Amino acid sequence: MHAIRNAILTISLAVSVSHAYDFGLYRDQGCRGEGLGHVVAGPNQGCMTHGVGTAQSFTIKSTGPVDNPFMVVMYSSGDCNPDTIIGHSDGTESKCLSVTNGQNYGSFEVWDLSQD
């Protein structure tokens, strides 16, 4: 059932996003351990909480142009509060975002850096 739900979520998000990232969720730090599924998400989708409570890291793979002005931001809070940023990547310099304190992240989102 969990796999079917993840597949439906991935397909529905992939259809709605032209420039996005494919996030591979992992139970352990450093994008290791049990894989918990994939989520495709992009800018203007707001705060996301996929994998919260179980995942400690996720891989980042761009599904669009590599020079797009987007940034993936990871938070310790569950509401994407900018005061709780614990990591960020554009998907080229770092292919894995991971918590450093052994806890789970609270939320993440994709920022469009070309918007004010």
Side-chain angles (χ1 to χ4, degrees):
M1 186 67 158
H2 183 69
I4 294 171
R5 183 179 62 87
N6 279 345
I8 292 170
L9 178 62
T10 300
I11 291 168
S12 65
L13 287 174
V15 170
S16 66
V17 179
S18 59
H19 297 285
Y21 292 98
D22 179 352
F23 297 95
L25 308 174
Y26 290 88
R27 184 172 303 279
D28 297 328
Q29 293 179 354
C31 299
R32 295 185 177 101
E34 179 184 359
L36 301 172
H38 285 264
V39 175
V40 176
N44 303 318
Q45 287 188 277
C47 187
M48 293 169 273
T49 57
H50 306 289
V52 168
T54 54
Q56 291 187 359
S57 59
F58 50 76
T59 56
I60 305 164
K61 180 180 176 187
S62 179
T63 63
V66 294
D67 60 346
N68 57 26
F70 303 136
M71 180 71 63
V72 177
V73 183
M74 178 187 276
Y75 305 88
S76 61
S77 69
D79 62 355
C80 295
N81 180 335
D83 293 332
T84 66
I85 293 173
I86 56 175
H88 61 83
S89 174
D90 66 0
T92 59
E93 62 198 39
S94 173
K95 303 290 186 194
C96 175
L97 276 181
S98 181
V99 296
T100 57
N101 58 7
Q103 297 180 346
N104 300 324
Y105 59 87
S107 56
F108 64 96
E109 68 182 328
V110 179
W111 288 358
D112 184 343
L113 301 178
S114 67
Q115 296 179 352
D116 290 333

